[in-house]
Amino acid sequence: MDSKTILIVDDEAPVRDMLRVALEMADYRCLEAENAQAAHSLVIDEKPDLILLDWMLPDVSGVELARRLKRDELTAAIPIIMLTAKGEEDHKIKGLETGADDYITKPFSPRELVARLKAVLRRAGPSTPEEPLTAGGLVLDPISHRVTINGDAVDMGPTEFRLLTFFLSHQERAYTRTQLLDHVWGGNVYVEERTVDVHIRRLRKALTIDGHERYIQTVRGTGYRFSVQTVERV
């Protein structure tokens, strides 16, 4: 079984070191961030299984980062455990109201941390298996990295493949170019929004078999949507 990935977000290096050692001894893979911006980029790029998030951060507070992650449907399901030196009941309630899954007050023992972490991961449930994604006659197999339309192989570049994977996993919803850049290109990649338009055109060209390019729809004033529903032509 693959090790679960835990993102540790704390601005104090000694605290991150202590947490990393405890978690690695329990066979978890660890990522580290010292502020909210770095943490958000890692969440987008690495999709950790759980986030250990300190309440107090130097730029944006842990509570605000948790709120931001829980508002985004693409990161909302990632469990969050808040870490704080504040033990008052109102702080605990505020942390949980942002959508955090648990709350641990410093200081705590490594054994308690690992036990609470395991409990949260159990509640979160197993990750979705990488089964083929389908829409009409279109089939994308993430394991073999193949795309077919009605049994015919479709050739496309790696960026178009990632873009199609995202669309097939999130059908019937419109996304802005910025959202697509974040979730397909990654939070640490700096490219212009018009780059999305170029790859949309390439993806449509690759899907022209039996008219499947019509599933990639332009949403005026917003961005793009993947939908198998018929769109009225204006």
Side-chain angles (χ1 to χ4, degrees), residues 8 10-22 32 34 106 108:
I8 302 167
D10 196 299
D11 61 326
E12 298 182 36
V15 174
R16 295 199 306 274
D17 290 342
M18 181 271 290
L19 292 170
R20 187 189 68 253
V21 169
E32 297 180 37
E34 63 180 1
K106 301 175 185 176
F108 49 80

Side-chain angles (χ1 to χ4, degrees), residues 164-232:
L164 182 59
T165 301
F166 178 82
F167 275 138
L168 285 170
S169 303
H170 304 88
Q171 298 182 38
E172 307 298 339
R173 171 160 179 166
Y175 289 93
T176 66
R177 290 167 177 82
T178 300
Q179 288 175 315
L180 291 173
L181 283 173
D182 278 348
H183 296 288
V184 177
W185 277 259
N188 278 322
V189 179
Y190 299 97
V191 292
E192 296 182 358
E193 287 190 356
R194 60 184 175 185
T195 301
V196 176
D197 300 329
V198 172
H199 288 282
I200 288 286
R201 285 198 297 271
R202 291 178 183 171
L203 180 57
R204 282 174 170 157
K205 185 176 180 180
L207 298 179
T208 52
I209 300 174
D210 295 338
H212 280 69
E213 75 279 5
R214 70 184 184 278
Y215 294 167
I216 310 291
Q217 300 169 1
T218 301
V219 181
R220 293 180 185 277
T222 302
Y224 296 99
R225 169 183 60 219
F226 186 98
S227 174
V228 296
Q229 298 180 23
T230 304
V231 178
E232 293 182 6

